[in-house]
Amino acid sequence: MDLADLIAGAYRRLAPRRTLLLLVTAALLGASLLGFRTLRMQENIAAMLPDGGSVAEDFQLLQQAPFASKVVITLNGGSQLPQQQLIAATDELAQALDPRLFPQVVSGPREQLQQRMLPWLLAALPNLADEEDLALLRAGLDEAGVRERLQQSYRSLLGPEGWALKGLIRQDPLGLHRLALEKLRHLNLVPGARLADGHFLSPDGKSALLVAETPVPMTDSAGAEQLLAAFEQAIRVLPEGVEASLVSGHRYTAANARAIQADLWLILSCSTLALVLLFLIFLRSLRAVFVFLVPVSVVCLAAVAVGLVYPEVSAVTIGFGAVLLGIAVDFGLHVYFALRRGGAEPAAILGAVAKPVTFGALTTVAAFAVLLFSDLPGQRQLAVFSITGILAALLLALLVLPHLLRVGAAAPEPPRKEGGQRAGRWILALWLLLLAAAGWQATRVTIDGDLRAMSLTPPALAADEAKLQQTWGQVRGRAMVWSLGADLEQALAVNRQIFQRLGSGEAGAELVSLAPLLPPLAEQEANRRRWQGFWAGEEGQRVLAALDREAVALRFSPDAFAPFRQALAQPAAPVTPAGLHEVGLGEVIDSLVTTLDDGRVGVLNLIPETPAALAAAETALAGLDGARLVAQGRFREEVSAAIGHDFTRFIVSAALAVVALLVVLFRHPGRIFAALVPVLSGLLLMLGIMGALGMSFNLFNVIAAILVIGLGVDYGIFMVCRQDEPCERATETAVLVSGLTTLAGFGALVLARHPALHSIGITVLLGIGGAIPAALLVVPALYRGRAQ
Amino acid sequence: MKARIVLFLLLLLWLPAGAPAASPDAVLGRIQQLAAGVETLASDFSQEKYLSVFQDVLPASGRFYYRKPDRLRWEMTAPVSSGFVLNGEQGRRWQQAGSAGERFDIAREPVMKIVAEQLLAWTRADFDRLRKEYRITLEKEDPVQLRLDPQGAAAGFLDHLLIRFAPSGKHVQQVEVHEQGGDYTRIVFHDTVVNGPLAEDLF
């Protein structure tokens, strides 16, 4: 039994049970509507990023960057505001921020850090001083060196600073703390900041900085809105003339969510309006409303199917529903026009139209099926969405819709006027010319992997980002070098090696690293032994003897430096992240040490993101296991490469799947080629016009290209099937109206503010816009040529 | 007779206590007002340090300069030559006379920040600022002597300060810095010139 008999038989069997069929269908669609309401929507860009492979890992690591998840607030008082008032305003704002949304707000280094740091560093020095440090000690602590250092301590004690330094000098008469202070040199996370009254101020003193933690995840659009509202509320406490701007991922999330929500309404409204217009122009029958109900029902069903496979549904996927609206109406339209023409038994008409409709649907399904193998969860969701929607629409169009339509309702059609041979030649010549021009321009299309181009960045936010960088330096945009290990000790061991390789290189001066302050425990142990060996050995004893002699000469009391000698005799406790937290370095540690989702521990180093620094780092880190360089610029390159790879892979796979189905359907090279004419024309014109307009290709355009393949082949199949039949215009009308409904859906996407939706809309508009005239004009012209 | 003598003595005791005394705030306000008129100061100082880490008292002497609002020079001349200059947030210190010394940013040196705040607060009689970190008690009214008990960061090493103003009330005459553990420093300012001309290159 072939497909035509199957569908015709189904029609005959279901016709007496029409009411039951409609009730079951209504129940199914009602259930899908209820299911749609329970879906959890995800409105950020994450769904459109790979969730496997190195790009995914890089993205995960980029998200762990310091300040990536924090809220950075800059206050600006202008040139007239005195510094003290700016600092007071900063404190007021910090107090006014809702503690539920901003539980921890930092305006500068903790006070305890300043008080505790030096004594703590001195106590930790045996763990931190490496071979190089001991070499410096040997060189600097000869007889004259000891004398000079002790005299310096003596002078400090005589001066006013002696009040604060006496305790430290008793512990450290030889100024060893300078060696320890060097360990902090690589910990400046805010390069453009200076300190005033315990606050981060810009070098010109006009701006102050607040860095806040928040429990609101960056991807939570509702939470982001709350966070921003709380900030707007809090800045009301600021005096006149003081402005505050907030920069964080939440602003991007909120802006994108707002844009997508607004877009969804706009797209759905415009699609509906366009479809109503098409209805009034081409259909003008109340029964045809059922044709349009097919895609409406399919959207909910497809979304529910995605929801069953994935816990969160990307809102971009649902936005794509408007597009699917255009596709799914096609099958119904073909059935509608065929039945309206009448001229035979309904079951027979249905059987005749079933083959092109089913193959049209299957080619589109095959094209979308390749997206199931995408690295991007959003693309996989789109595949599930599209496949479910198309198959459901096909079933509704062939099994349910015919029972709602009237057969032979249309007025008899005038005989079709075939164009002459000359017209056919002109059409083919013009077509070839257009394809040649498009092929030439298509080479200009570039691939853009910049994630920012795919998400919405309001101008105000871009300006605030630029201002942030100008005021505070690259706090949010430095390149990262991760040391990754199964546990902290392993990660710290890699981190130490990274520091040794990068510390003396191009990025050495600006390198941010924990390595000098937090070596692996094994290295701390080695350092301690070396330190104790030095002081217990001949060299250390010589230094201590010189210290005693100079102390007597300067009339220090005998027990003046007892704390120093006691510290030398006691073993130092190892330096741990917990210890660094206690001393007041918690924020720094939390910014640079993290446990990744896969359980590994990552320790972060930051370097400037300049070509020279990146190239030097790449060379220095070659062959070092566990070290990973991640930079926004490199990430964009990786995504570009992935898109380029995906594009080729998907287009080739989709094309192969489509050709395979065409072979099964037509089994004739000429007819297969004719069926491919619309899709080839559409793709080439799309790429050509994009190239001519200087547009680039992003990962959403990949989806668009696959859509062009799926739909373009449908038009080809219908038009080739139509050529084998006696002259009738129902197929042409159906292809034209199908194409226009698709354009209506995509036309609405062009109006979207969100770059991803807009990108799909504009590129597919070009592709389908090229495929429709190719199907309606070029395919018949080819046949005429063959007939001649 | 004895009763009269006792009564007379009681009167003597009562009279000073019963004399109308100015409130501490009024005294501090008056000092603050007088100090506000000080544009420059130049003074010699003598210093004695009583520190347990030394076997003897450490005498020292030097010179002190101030220019409103935030310039300050503290220069020790004996027994060693050392000192520092503050100009707003920036500073320079030296360990030998004539050396260029090293520059520093006060924001990055918590110890120098405390020292600078102290010296400037005494010199300007900036009680509003001092009250943020000290409990101020008026110990004597003529000449004015204050006791400052630290409550903030300085409490870690200071026990209390005693500050005595000159009879004119315009500048500090003596400071005693008492540290935790009993060590203390006494600085006496003398030959002080108020609002005299100061060379620009001093700062």
Side-chain angles (χ1 to χ4, degrees):
Chain A
M1 183 186 281
D2 70 1
L3 187 66
D5 296 335
L6 190 73
I7 297 299
Y11 180 83
R12 288 187 195 104
R13 275 191 294 276
L14 289 171
R17 304 174 182 86
R18 186 171 172 270
T19 309
L20 181 66
L21 172 71
L22 295 180
L23 280 175
V24 170
T25 308
L28 198 70
L29 297 179
S32 76
L33 188 67
L34 288 174
F36 181 77
R37 291 168 64 89
T38 63
L39 288 181
R40 281 178 63 200
M41 295 285 187
Q42 188 187 27
E43 287 158 338
N44 60 38
I45 196 77
M48 287 300 155
L49 292 167
D51 58 355
S54 67
V55 175
E57 190 179 8
D58 278 3
F59 182 68
Q60 187 195 9
L61 293 173
L62 274 172
Q63 285 189 308
Q64 302 278 347
F67 298 106
S69 60
K70 288 184 179 164
V71 177
V72 183
I73 298 169
T74 301
L75 291 96
N76 192 290
S79 53
Q80 303 300 320
L81 192 77
Q83 187 173 295
Q84 284 308 318
Q85 286 184 30
L86 176 63
I87 288 173
T90 307
D91 290 340
E92 275 180 53
L93 179 58
Q95 284 295 319
L97 290 167
D98 186 340
R100 288 167 301 174
L101 295 167
F102 302 89
Q104 196 178 344
V105 184
V106 177
S107 57
R110 292 177 182 279
E111 197 175 313
Q112 59 174 359
L113 180 67
Q114 300 190 12
Q115 291 172 16
R116 292 185 193 172
M117 184 47 78
L118 264 183
W120 180 86
L121 271 176
L122 266 177
L125 189 56
N127 299 303
L128 307 179
D130 54 19
E131 189 74 69
E132 205 176 310
D133 294 323
L134 282 185
L136 286 173
L137 278 188
R138 284 190 193 98
L141 290 180
D142 57 5
E143 187 85 24
V146 171
R147 183 182 307 124
E148 190 189 324
R149 289 183 183 219
L150 201 58
Q151 282 180 349
Q152 205 169 334
S153 295
Y154 175 80
R155 280 192 290 268
S156 293
L157 284 170
L158 271 182
E161 68 270 32
W163 306 320
L165 292 178
K166 189 181 71 181
L168 180 70
I169 289 171
R170 293 192 71 196
Q171 289 176 55
D172 181 27
L174 298 173
L176 302 182
H177 67 272
R178 273 166 264 167
L179 213 57
L181 280 174
E182 269 296 298
K183 308 295 175 191
L184 296 176
R185 196 160 66 88
H186 291 282
L187 277 186
N188 188 4
L189 283 171
V190 191
R194 66 183 180 86
L195 295 179
D197 279 344
H199 292 70
F200 293 124
L201 290 191
S202 59
D204 62 6
K206 293 175 188 169
S207 302
L209 181 72
L210 286 174
V211 180
E213 298 273 355
T214 177
V216 179
M218 260 200 305
T219 53
D220 176 1
S221 55
E225 288 288 4
Q226 274 187 339
L227 189 88
L228 296 179
F231 171 72
E232 291 298 328
Q233 174 71 28
I235 59 174
R236 290 183 189 166
V237 303
L238 292 176
E240 202 175 326
V242 181
E243 292 174 352
S245 62
L246 177 151
V247 174
S248 77
H250 304 91
R251 261 183 90 179
Y252 290 89
T253 303
N256 277 275
R258 272 181 233 148
I260 288 175
Q261 279 166 359
D263 284 347
L264 283 179
W265 282 112
L266 185 69
I267 291 163
L268 290 173
S269 306
C270 289
S271 292
T272 309
L273 187 68
L275 291 174
V276 168
L277 280 174
L278 288 173
F279 174 85
L280 292 175
I281 294 167
F282 291 99
L283 306 168
R284 279 176 289 183
S285 159
L286 272 179
R287 299 241 171 191
V289 170
F290 293 120
V291 175
F292 290 90
L293 284 180
V294 170
V296 173
S297 324
V298 159
V299 171
C300 292
L301 205 66
V304 170
V306 177
L308 289 174
V309 182
Y310 301 97
E312 283 187 336
V313 180
S314 163
V316 176
T317 307
I318 300 304
F320 197 67
V323 179
L324 197 68
L325 204 75
I327 306 170
V329 82
D330 290 4
F331 317 127
L333 281 171
H334 282 283
V335 170
Y336 172 81
F337 280 112
L339 286 175
R340 192 171 75 161
R341 179 171 54 88
E345 188 215 347
I349 296 172
L350 212 54
V353 85
K355 197 173 174 185
V357 167
T358 305
F359 272 85
L362 289 180
T363 49
T364 310
V365 165
F368 276 109
V370 299
L371 287 180
L372 284 172
F373 304 100
S374 168
D375 289 336
L376 315 187
Q379 284 193 342
R380 294 198 298 271
Q381 288 189 15
L382 274 181
V384 174
F385 190 96
S386 311
I387 292 168
T388 315
I390 290 163
L391 291 178
L394 178 71
L395 290 175
L396 283 177
L398 292 178
L399 299 179
V400 181
L401 183 67
H403 300 282
L404 296 166
L405 300 177
R406 281 175 61 197
V407 182
E413 292 170 345
R416 188 173 61 191
K417 287 180 187 171
E418 291 290 3
Q421 189 184 359
R422 182 176 288 181
R425 281 183 184 162
W426 274 110
I427 287 170
L428 290 176
L430 189 65
W431 175 62
L432 286 172
L433 203 68
L434 268 175
L435 290 193
W440 170 51
Q441 290 295 322
T443 55
R444 295 186 174 187
V445 175
T446 54
I447 291 178
D448 180 9
D450 190 349
L451 292 177
R452 288 172 296 191
M454 290 174 241
S455 80
L456 186 78
T457 305
L461 179 51
D464 285 346
E465 279 273 17
K467 199 169 154 192
L468 179 79
Q469 186 174 328
Q470 194 184 345
T471 310
W472 305 110
Q474 281 279 13
V475 291
R476 277 168 61 88
R478 278 178 286 191
M480 302 184 290
V481 181
W482 284 90
S483 52
L484 303 166
D487 53 30
L488 179 66
E489 183 67 4
Q490 208 178 72
L492 288 176
V494 178
N495 198 45
R496 188 66 190 161
Q497 290 186 63
I498 289 174
F499 182 77
Q500 283 164 347
R501 294 190 186 195
L502 297 182
S504 55
E506 176 81 23
E510 294 172 76
L511 173 65
V512 173
S513 176
L514 259 183
L517 196 64
L518 188 60
L521 289 175
E523 188 176 322
Q524 290 189 43
E525 170 73 25
N527 287 344
R528 270 198 305 276
R529 285 191 184 158
R530 200 183 301 114
W531 178 267
Q532 284 162 350
F534 172 83
W535 289 105
E538 194 182 324
E539 289 171 303
Q541 291 304 309
R542 181 179 51 74
V543 172
L544 293 175
L547 175 67
D548 287 343
R549 281 193 297 279
E550 294 303 324
V552 170
L554 289 169
R555 302 291 293 158
F556 277 100
S557 52
D559 63 345
F561 306 125
F564 174 59
R565 287 180 172 277
Q566 281 165 12
L568 287 182
Q570 285 171 356
V575 180
T576 60
L580 291 169
H581 263 274
E582 275 175 30
V583 83
L585 282 168
E587 281 100 11
V588 179
I589 295 298
D590 292 344
S591 294
L592 299 181
V593 181
T594 189
T595 302
L596 304 177
D597 293 342
D598 59 9
R600 285 183 300 168
V601 176
V603 181
L604 182 60
N605 300 273
L606 300 173
I607 59 171
E609 189 166 342
T610 61
L614 290 179
E618 225 166 43
T619 311
L621 298 174
L624 179 56
D625 285 343
R628 190 172 181 92
L629 177 62
V630 185
Q632 288 279 1
R634 282 166 50 93
F635 181 66
R636 281 196 288 277
E637 285 170 17
E638 285 175 352
V639 174
S640 289
I643 292 170
H645 178 249
D646 274 2
F647 178 71
T648 315
R649 187 162 59 107
F650 290 158
I651 298 293
V652 169
S653 306
L656 285 176
V658 162
V659 170
L661 279 168
L662 289 179
V663 169
V664 172
L665 178 65
F666 293 124
R667 294 171 195 158
H668 185 279
R671 296 173 77 194
I672 293 169
F673 172 72
L676 285 172
V677 162
V679 66
L680 292 174
S681 309
L683 281 178
L684 212 55
L685 284 171
M686 178 188 82
L687 290 170
I689 295 172
M690 282 178 74
L693 296 176
M695 296 166 75
S696 51
F697 218 80
N698 61 41
L699 59 88
F700 290 98
N701 299 128
V702 174
I703 302 163
I706 287 167
L707 196 68
V708 171
I709 292 175
L711 292 176
V713 168
D714 287 2
Y715 305 150
I717 291 172
F718 287 122
M719 289 307 292
V720 169
C721 287
R722 171 257 194 218
Q723 302 305 323
D724 299 333
E725 291 178 17
C727 291
E728 54 95 351
R729 298 175 64 185
T731 306
E732 279 180 3
T733 313
V735 167
L736 178 64
V737 177
S738 303
L740 290 177
T741 53
T742 305
L743 286 180
F746 286 120
L749 277 182
V750 166
L751 299 173
R753 274 178 65 215
H754 196 276
L757 298 179
H758 179 78
S759 183
I760 294 172
I762 199 158
T763 53
V764 180
L765 194 66
L766 296 173
I768 299 296
I772 293 173
L776 293 175
L777 300 174
V778 179
V779 175
L782 280 173
Y783 266 79
R784 279 200 296 278
R786 203 180 65 164
Q788 292 296 328
Chain B
M1 186 62 192
K2 275 185 181 175
R4 281 184 182 179
I5 291 170
V6 169
L7 187 63
F8 177 72
L9 288 173
L10 279 175
L11 271 173
L12 280 179
L13 286 173
W14 178 78
L15 275 173
S23 74
D25 284 348
V27 172
L28 296 184
R30 181 172 61 83
I31 293 285
Q32 212 159 1
Q33 204 172 4
L34 287 166
V38 176
E39 296 292 326
T40 65
L41 276 177
S43 178
D44 291 332
F45 68 82
S46 308
Q47 175 185 283
E48 286 175 348
K49 285 221 170 200
Y50 298 84
L51 304 180
S52 61
V53 291
F54 287 105
Q55 296 181 35
D56 316 306
V57 175
L58 286 185
S61 58
R63 195 142 175 84
F64 167 73
Y65 301 93
Y66 163 75
R67 184 196 293 276
K68 202 174 180 178
D70 56 7
R71 293 188 185 190
L72 197 134
R73 182 183 179 99
W74 182 272
E75 186 178 348
M76 197 169 285
T77 51
V80 293
S81 291
S82 64
F84 60 88
V85 166
L86 285 173
N87 193 342
E89 295 285 309
Q90 302 301 313
R92 181 172 63 82
R93 64 182 151 218
W94 61 92
Q95 297 278 0
Q96 284 176 335
S99 82
E102 59 168 357
R103 297 195 173 280
F104 62 89
D105 183 344
I106 203 167
R108 294 181 186 276
E109 303 232 3
V111 171
M112 289 311 293
K113 184 171 179 289
I114 291 173
V115 168
E117 282 174 356
Q118 288 284 330
L119 293 176
L120 282 170
W122 306 340
T123 309
R124 295 189 292 217
D126 186 355
F127 297 121
D128 294 335
R129 184 174 187 88
L130 284 169
R131 274 196 191 97
K132 288 181 183 169
E133 294 191 29
Y134 296 91
R135 186 161 50 82
I136 302 176
T137 316
L138 179 63
E139 287 218 322
K140 275 173 69 179
E141 201 175 317
D142 192 19
V144 172
Q145 181 168 313
L146 308 174
R147 178 184 166 111
L148 278 66
D149 289 283
Q151 292 171 316
F157 56 91
L158 289 183
D159 185 71
H160 68 276
L161 302 168
L162 294 174
I163 300 175
R164 194 173 77 208
F165 283 83
S168 69
K170 290 183 176 176
H171 60 90
V172 171
Q173 193 172 51
Q174 180 176 303
V175 176
E176 279 185 20
V177 181
H178 290 259
E179 301 171 37
Q180 301 282 359
D183 288 354
Y184 71 98
T185 302
R186 179 182 297 132
I187 306 168
V188 179
F189 296 91
H190 49 88
D191 299 328
T192 304
V193 177
V194 178
N195 292 340
L198 293 181
E200 194 60 35
D201 62 359
L202 277 171
F203 306 100

